Amino acid sequence: MALIAPRVTAGLAADDARNLARSLQDSNDITVFVDGTVHRLPGEARDAVVDLLARLSRGEAVTVSSVEEMLTTSQAAELAGISHTYLRNMTDRGEIPVEYRGTHRRIRLAAIMAWLESQKKKAAADGPDDAAGGTT
């Protein structure tokens, strides 16, 4: 699974930083224009954008990246309803992508959810379980 590198932006030039700081003074209202259409940002997005702009207005360099929830193998196994050992074996075989933090395995929540979805599709394609009411 490829990771997208964070985007790093150098601090603004002093004049640009001052102008931005002046614009932000006593205001948390951010309006975004996308292809000429006005969009009001939800509170959490607005707060993140204001924080980013405030840092730039102080001349700070900023890094923007996304955070994806990483699970321990125990958490991932519990979520998937399988044993910790079975999950570790699947990561060893490359069936579920794993990342290491030091010597500890971490699994993306999205990877477990994708595996669960594939299991549902496989079960649907295999048809109903014979032991669950099939005829003899």
Side-chain angles (χ1 to χ4, degrees), residues 24 27-32 39-41 46-47 49-50 53:
L24 289 172
S27 176
N28 284 332
D29 182 30
I30 302 296
T31 303
V32 177
H39 295 276
R40 284 226 173 257
L41 296 176
R46 182 198 63 238
D47 293 346
V49 170
V50 168
L53 294 173

Side-chain angles (χ1 to χ4, degrees), residues 1 6 9 15 19-20 23 34 36 53 60 64 66 80 87 107 112 114-115:
M1 177 179 293
T9 301
D15 286 344
N19 289 337
L20 181 56
S23 296
V34 179
L53 294 173
E60 298 176 19
V64 177
S66 59
L87 178 68
I107 300 169
I112 290 298
W115 180 79

Side-chain angles (χ1 to χ4, degrees), residues 111-131:
I112 290 298
M113 300 310 288
W115 180 79
L116 285 169
E117 187 62 30
S118 73
Q119 294 304 299
K120 286 180 189 176
K121 288 179 181 177
K122 182 178 176 184
D126 290 345
D129 187 7
D130 289 342

Side-chain angles (χ1 to χ4, degrees), residues 5 9 25 49 56 86 92 109 120:
T9 301
Q25 191 173 10
V49 170
L56 286 170
Y86 184 67
D92 289 343
L109 174 61
K120 286 180 189 176

Side-chain angles (χ1 to χ4, degrees), residues 9 18 28 41 55 58 80 82 85 97 99-100 108 114 116:
T9 301
R18 271 192 303 277
N28 284 332
L41 296 176
R55 290 170 189 267
R58 293 189 299 265
I82 57 178
T85 302
E99 296 179 27
Y100 286 88
R108 293 184 182 278
L116 285 169

Side-chain angles (χ1 to χ4, degrees), residues 38-104:
V38 176
H39 295 276
R40 284 226 173 257
L41 296 176
E44 290 176 351
R46 182 198 63 238
D47 293 346
V49 170
V50 168
D51 183 55
L52 171 80
L53 294 173
R55 290 170 189 267
L56 286 170
S57 75
R58 293 189 299 265
E60 298 176 19
V62 296
T63 301
V64 177
S65 66
S66 59
V67 177
E68 185 173 354
E69 187 171 357
M70 300 295 282
L71 305 173
T72 65
T73 51
S74 295
Q75 292 169 323
E78 183 177 339
L79 179 65
I82 57 178
S83 75
H84 181 260
T85 302
Y86 184 67
L87 178 68
R88 277 196 332 259
N89 289 337
M90 286 195 307
T91 64
D92 289 343
R93 292 189 301 265
E95 295 174 26
I96 293 182
V98 66
E99 296 179 27
Y100 286 88
R101 301 293 187 261
T103 59
H104 301 282

